[in-house]
């Protein structure tokens, strides 16, 4: 039976998100704190609550702090025009980077941000003096957590893994599932339950054509 949805790999760790990926679509809607550097006419009705009070032309005033979806912040960001400036979310600031460098395994990444690595990588598109530190923190955090993730996936056969993956971000959960699949496939092979090797369609079609030519 065909599956209803074929998973599309995320592109968030690269230059651009993959908008055929559900993970990237969800990640791009996470909110990013920004500060407006110029007035934005006629946008106040969409982004300001009534209690804030927009101008008479529904403009977003200069210097206002608000949260925008990542995709919108990337679209409005321009180094030359300085439409808005981006503030780092707390989990990517120096205080949390210190925690990650001490012991990344103690942090509940899913609670702090279910797309920690992808969202953090997209922050590097904005001109920020801490970009180098952020990228190093992302890399070292992943390295520090990778071994425990894979060890856990290889030592949980036919067990409830909900507690093991509860603290992982979405990319780490994908790695865990890959490790679990490898373990299950190996166990099936070891028990003689692996699928039998069959000839490819290319070989079978070649044999059919050869047989037809012999008949002719």
């Amino acid at each position: 039976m065909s599956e209803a949805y074929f998973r599309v790999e995320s592109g968030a760790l690269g230059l651009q998100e993959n908008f055929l990926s559900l993970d990237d679509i969800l990640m791009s809607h996470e909110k990013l704190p920004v500060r407006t550097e110029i007035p934005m006419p006629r946008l106040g009705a969409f982004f300001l609550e009534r209690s804030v009070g927009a101008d008479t032309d529904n403009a977003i005033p200069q210097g206002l702090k608000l949260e925008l979806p990542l995709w919108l912040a990337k679209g409005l960001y321009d180094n030359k025009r300085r439409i808005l400036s981006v503030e780092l979310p707390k989990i990517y600031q120096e205080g949390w980077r210190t925690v990650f460098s001490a012991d990344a395994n103690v942090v509940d990444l899913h609670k702090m941000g279910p797309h920690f690595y992808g969202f953090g990588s997209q922050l590097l598109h904005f001109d920020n003096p801490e970009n180098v530190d952020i990228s190093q923190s992302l890399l070292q955090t992943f390295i520090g957590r990778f071994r425990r993730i894979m060890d856990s996936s290889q030592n949980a056969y036919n067990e409830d893994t909900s507690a093991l993956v509860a603290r992982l971000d979405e990319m780490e959960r994908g790695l865990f599932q890959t490790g679990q699949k490898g373990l299950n496939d190996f166990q099936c092979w070891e028990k003689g339950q692996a699928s039998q090797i069959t000839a490819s369609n290319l070989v079978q079609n070649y044999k059919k054509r050869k047989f037809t030519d012999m008949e002719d």
Side-chain angles (χ1 to χ4, degrees):
M1 186 177 69
S2 61
E3 296 183 10
Y5 169 70
F6 294 93
R7 182 181 178 86
V8 178
E9 291 299 323
S10 169
L13 297 181
L15 295 177
Q16 292 291 340
E17 308 96 316
N18 183 350
F19 286 104
L20 295 177
S21 166
L22 290 181
D23 288 335
D24 282 6
I25 293 173
L26 294 173
M27 183 271 295
S28 68
H29 281 75
E30 290 192 20
K31 296 298 182 64
L32 183 64
V34 301
R35 181 179 182 273
T36 57
E37 299 295 340
I38 61 174
M40 297 183 183
R42 298 184 296 277
L43 292 179
F46 297 99
F47 299 106
L48 299 182
E49 298 178 0
R50 293 182 179 180
S51 58
V52 175
D55 295 339
T56 54
D57 62 349
N58 281 327
I60 297 178
Q62 180 179 358
L64 182 69
K65 293 183 178 181
L66 68 161
E67 291 187 339
L68 298 179
L70 174 65
W71 64 268
L72 182 58
K74 288 179 64 177
L76 292 174
Y77 185 79
D78 189 325
N79 280 330
K80 296 180 179 179
R81 296 182 61 190
R82 295 287 294 175
I83 297 174
L84 54 82
S85 57
V86 174
E87 299 182 6
L88 287 179
K90 290 183 179 180
I91 195 171
Y92 301 102
Q93 294 178 8
E94 184 178 1
W96 274 103
R97 295 201 301 266
T98 302
V99 174
F100 288 127
S101 63
D103 187 0
N105 289 293
V106 303
V107 182
D108 185 343
L109 278 191
H110 200 268
K111 180 180 179 180
M112 301 301 296
H115 302 93
F116 173 75
Y117 298 104
F119 194 83
S121 296
Q122 292 302 307
L123 291 178
L124 302 179
H125 289 277
F126 303 104
D127 187 18
N128 190 300
E130 298 183 52
N131 276 356
V132 174
D133 294 329
I134 294 172
S135 61
Q136 285 296 319
S137 177
L138 291 172
L139 177 60
Q140 294 304 318
T141 298
F142 178 76
I143 293 174
R145 293 168 64 93
F146 177 77
R147 181 172 181 176
R148 176 173 291 187
I149 293 169
M150 298 312 295
D151 284 348
S152 299
S153 70
Q154 296 297 298
N155 290 287
Y157 183 63
N158 286 336
E159 298 179 14
D160 181 9
T161 60
S162 57
L164 295 175
V165 301
R167 298 166 63 86
L168 307 182
D169 104 312
E170 292 299 322
M171 188 183 77
E172 293 176 336
R173 290 184 176 188
L175 288 173
F176 185 91
Q177 292 171 0
T178 300
Q180 282 272 282
K181 184 179 183 302
L183 174 63
N184 292 333
D185 290 346
F186 175 75
Q187 294 292 341
C188 289
W189 174 83
E190 197 172 41
K191 295 176 181 178
Q193 300 173 352
S195 301
Q196 294 182 350
I197 298 177
T198 58
S200 68
N201 292 333
L202 182 64
V203 174
Q204 292 176 357
N205 292 334
Y206 174 76
K207 288 182 177 180
K208 290 179 181 178
R209 289 197 302 269
K210 186 175 181 181
F211 182 75
T212 302
D213 294 340
M214 291 176 63
E215 287 183 339
D216 294 339

